[in-house]
Amino acid sequence: MGAWWAPQTIATQSSKRVSMDQVMISDLHRHVGETVTIRGWLHGRRSSGKIQFIQVRDGSGIVQGVLMKKTVDEALFKRCDALPQESSLSVKGTVRAEARAPGGHELSLTEIEIHQEADRDYPIAPKEHSIGFLMEHRHLWLRSRKPHATLRIRATIVKAVRDFFDSHGFLLIDAPIFTPAACEGTTTLFEVQYFDEKAYLTQSGQLYMEAAAMAHGRVYCFGPAFRAEKSKTRRHLTEFWMVEPEMAYGELEDVMQLAEGLLTFIVERVLESRREDLKVLERDLSKLEAVRPPFPRISYSDAVERIKVRRAELLRSPDEEQRKLAEGCLTEWGGDFGAPDETLLSGQYDRPVLVHRYPAAVKAFYMKRDPADERLALCVDVLAPEGYGEIIGGGQRADSLEFLESRIAEHGLPREAFQWYLDLRKYGSVPHSGFGLGIERTVAWICGAEHLRECIPFPRMLYKIYP
RNA sequence: UCCCGGAUAGCUCAAUGGUGGAGCGAGCGGCUGUUAACCGCUAGGUUGUAGGUUCGAGUCCUACUCCGGGAGCCA
């Protein structure tokens, strides 16, 4: 066997042995009856006089090792009995199928090598903690079961996104992080000193993707986005990740189909490869299994009518929360949806709902108008089920130079900064469309997480940048 | 930025204006099948900060700081 990083070892994955007799816990079922070594950390420990139960985690899972007083050195037995949580250690033992063990397997331990005895004051105890305390210890909280499961699912979602676009003729194009001016001119940006001039951290790669789509046809970018808005809710981060596909010759209908296909693919992939992690999170799988195409589609105007009807019903509800929700909803055509509207609307479906053709006035300047009704933009938002809100926003882009020029003037945006963007309409302009998918919101929805901050390893939020 | 709630042991929380407690965690001891084990004992406190009211403040008042929830904005 070659070094653990040798290509064939990684490629086959038939056995994740990385050195000598080391085995990953997730692979134990392949080694029943064998003597193996696990290298990891002490997750938990219980002792009962002459027998000790030692839970070891190695990143791939958790396994319980059984240590009998008579089978090991007495000094070692005693030392283990006092070993603090999170101490690093290697254990050697025989793999045994054991019905009583959570993972189905157990180790009869024969040797233990302690690499470092952890301090005794590991702050995350096996008990309830407040979210503020856990966030302050995010660097350690990552080791706990739920954050561990959530970030594994996040990785699976990211991989699914890339696989989907890579296999549908989209080329990965990285958008810049430093930008010379606001992309949309609406949100507050983080300003940075860029040599002798001011620059901003990107809030979206979309405009750059429009340029790239004119070169490659179908493209997507995947990267961080930054918003300096003082949002303080469970649905906001100042730094979040977004995937943004853009299609030359794509129209609103194409965008809606693409969004539906992508979300279906992501949910399928997570269901087939991350069931164990979803179980750790106590996620209701039937809610995810319901996510099958076609997704319901509704126009903004129809949605407003539905909201008005539902609002009137809820205002008569005996439940105070329901009445409060209804009071927050909009009452007439023309306004953008707020959180209560989205909750009320998405609550009527068991899968993501596509809301299309919003009033142009509440959308970004680059949206193309609906030729059938000039008040409307050819755009679509996708609202996730179960109140997780908007996970996708997109639509068809304005392709007329004159139209864009007047919108930029109307919004008071600096024309020079957008000259390159206008060039795209001067040299071979075509209909084109795309959208942005918020990764953390998607992770939150699929994991059933309460807050976005659980869905990114080290969240950046209003006034919070530690650790 | 606005609205609401909170800050007491390492953590999660009790305590009518009248001598600050419990569970978990930690330490010591016991227990051969524990699953956030169990049983006994021990240690652990400038009640967020600064003022004020009162014979007396964890408790009432004011300001500030920090934390949580929500709104707007958005992915």
Side-chain angles (χ1 to χ4, degrees):
Chain A
M1 171 133 331
W4 65 269
W5 41 263
Q8 62 271 24
T9 313
I10 291 168
T12 62
Q13 298 254 321
S14 59
S15 165
K16 291 180 190 158
R17 285 163 188 264
V18 299
S19 73
M20 302 296 288
D21 55 356
Q22 185 184 353
V23 164
M24 299 305 288
I25 291 169
S26 58
D27 256 6
L28 278 180
H29 61 278
R30 282 196 254 266
H31 299 277
V32 175
E34 296 174 30
T35 297
V36 301
T37 297
I38 302 286
R39 302 203 287 191
W41 296 263
L42 181 65
H43 179 75
R45 175 172 54 73
R46 285 176 207 89
S47 69
S48 186
K50 293 179 179 117
I51 185 169
Q52 284 180 45
F53 302 97
I54 293 172
Q55 275 109 34
V56 180
R57 60 171 185 84
D58 70 348
S60 78
I62 297 173
V63 70
Q64 174 163 274
V66 183
L67 195 60
M68 309 290 272
K69 190 167 189 177
K70 61 189 175 193
T71 61
V72 295
D73 176 70
E74 189 167 340
L76 178 65
F77 188 85
K78 220 170 163 189
R79 197 177 164 203
C80 283
D81 202 18
L83 197 61
Q85 183 184 358
E86 293 306 321
S87 293
S88 46
L89 73 178
S90 294
V91 301
K92 189 169 190 169
T94 311
V95 184
R96 204 155 36 73
E98 168 61 68
R100 286 172 291 187
H105 297 87
E106 222 172 51
L107 286 179
S108 297
L109 299 181
T110 51
E111 288 175 35
I112 294 175
E113 185 190 349
I114 296 164
H115 305 302
Q116 193 237 346
E117 213 168 281
D119 272 6
R120 295 200 173 267
D121 54 359
Y122 186 69
I124 303 179
K127 73 185 292 287
E128 297 285 332
H129 292 287
S130 67
I131 186 68
F133 178 81
L134 291 172
M135 285 312 319
E136 192 74 9
H137 297 86
R138 182 61 171 170
H139 52 298
L140 301 175
W141 190 27
L142 292 179
R143 306 176 183 196
S144 300
R145 297 193 72 185
K146 288 192 175 183
H148 184 262
T150 303
L151 292 184
R152 278 155 72 97
I153 291 170
R154 177 189 168 104
T156 298
I157 290 170
V158 169
K159 179 73 162 53
V161 164
R162 305 198 90 124
D163 287 348
F164 179 85
F165 287 118
D166 291 346
S167 63
H168 282 77
F170 287 77
L171 186 77
L172 176 70
I173 296 281
D174 301 309
I177 306 290
F178 289 127
T179 59
C183 280
E184 305 181 8
T186 48
T187 46
T188 320
L189 304 185
F190 285 104
E191 191 178 288
V192 293
Q193 194 62 38
Y194 192 76
F195 301 111
D196 293 333
E197 55 187 319
K198 285 192 188 347
Y200 304 88
L201 298 184
T202 184
Q203 63 168 317
S204 161
Q206 183 205 311
L207 304 193
Y208 295 97
M209 288 307 101
E210 291 187 48
M214 301 305 137
H216 296 276
R218 292 179 161 200
V219 297
Y220 72 102
C221 64
F222 193 120
F226 308 88
R227 308 235 169 132
E229 233 127 47
K230 299 198 170 172
S231 302
K232 191 174 147 42
T233 84
R234 70 176 76 177
R235 291 186 305 278
H236 291 87
L237 298 169
T238 54
E239 178 183 300
F240 64 99
W241 287 69
M242 195 155 59
V243 58
E244 295 174 281
E246 192 72 31
M247 299 178 283
Y249 292 101
E251 300 186 0
L252 179 61
E253 175 61 27
D254 301 300
V255 162
M256 296 207 273
Q257 282 181 22
L258 187 70
E260 183 177 275
L262 174 63
L263 291 176
T264 303
F265 185 78
I266 291 172
V267 171
E268 266 173 11
R269 176 70 71 82
V270 173
L271 277 173
E272 80 191 19
S273 62
R274 286 286 173 227
R275 281 196 177 252
E276 283 305 307
D277 291 309
L278 288 169
K279 216 164 116 189
V280 168
L281 298 173
E282 298 168 80
R283 183 66 168 117
D284 182 349
L285 295 185
S286 68
K287 293 261 167 61
L288 295 179
E289 279 156 356
V291 180
R292 307 210 146 270
F295 294 170
R297 297 181 181 191
I298 184 170
S299 72
Y300 168 87
S301 301
D302 289 346
V304 170
E305 290 309 311
R306 275 190 103 110
I307 289 168
K308 284 206 287 208
V309 170
R310 190 85 184 104
R311 180 176 187 275
E313 284 170 18
L314 288 184
L315 281 176
R316 292 191 298 272
S317 164
D319 187 343
E320 195 191 326
E321 288 221 350
Q322 299 272 289
R323 286 202 304 275
K324 247 185 179 163
L325 179 71
E327 277 164 22
C329 289
L330 51 73
T331 52
E332 56 188 53
W333 194 95
D336 200 1
F337 290 158
D341 304 291
E342 289 183 358
T343 304
L344 205 144
L345 196 59
S346 66
Q348 305 190 5
Y349 305 97
D350 65 347
R351 58 197 79 185
V353 54
L354 282 65
V355 185
H356 56 87
R357 295 181 174 83
Y358 284 66
V362 301
K363 290 291 177 182
F365 75 93
Y366 51 70
M367 299 275 187
K368 187 177 173 70
R369 297 293 171 93
D370 185 357
D373 183 346
E374 285 287 327
R375 295 176 306 160
L376 303 177
L378 288 176
C379 64
V380 61
D381 283 359
V382 180
L383 307 180
E386 302 169 74
Y388 282 94
E390 185 185 337
I391 50 174
I392 284 180
Q396 194 166 337
R397 324 301 188 189
D399 45 27
S400 145
L401 179 63
E402 295 70 31
F403 178 84
L404 261 187
E405 281 175 330
S406 60
R407 289 292 83 70
I408 284 173
E410 210 172 81
H411 284 77
L413 298 171
R415 199 197 140 102
E416 326 75 65
F418 288 96
Q419 190 52 56
W420 67 268
Y421 187 64
L422 292 169
D423 274 357
L424 304 177
R425 276 73 183 172
K426 283 169 68 180
Y427 306 109
S429 188
V430 298
H432 61 289
S433 309
F435 63 76
L437 169 79
I439 294 297
E440 289 75 17
R441 286 188 181 179
T442 304
V443 174
W445 162 48
I446 289 176
C447 291
E450 287 200 24
H451 307 85
L452 279 201
R453 62 187 161 203
E454 298 164 28
C455 300
I456 185 167
F458 294 96
R460 295 292 173 248
M461 300 184 296
L462 183 58
Y463 304 130
K464 249 179 280 288
I465 199 167
Y466 176 92

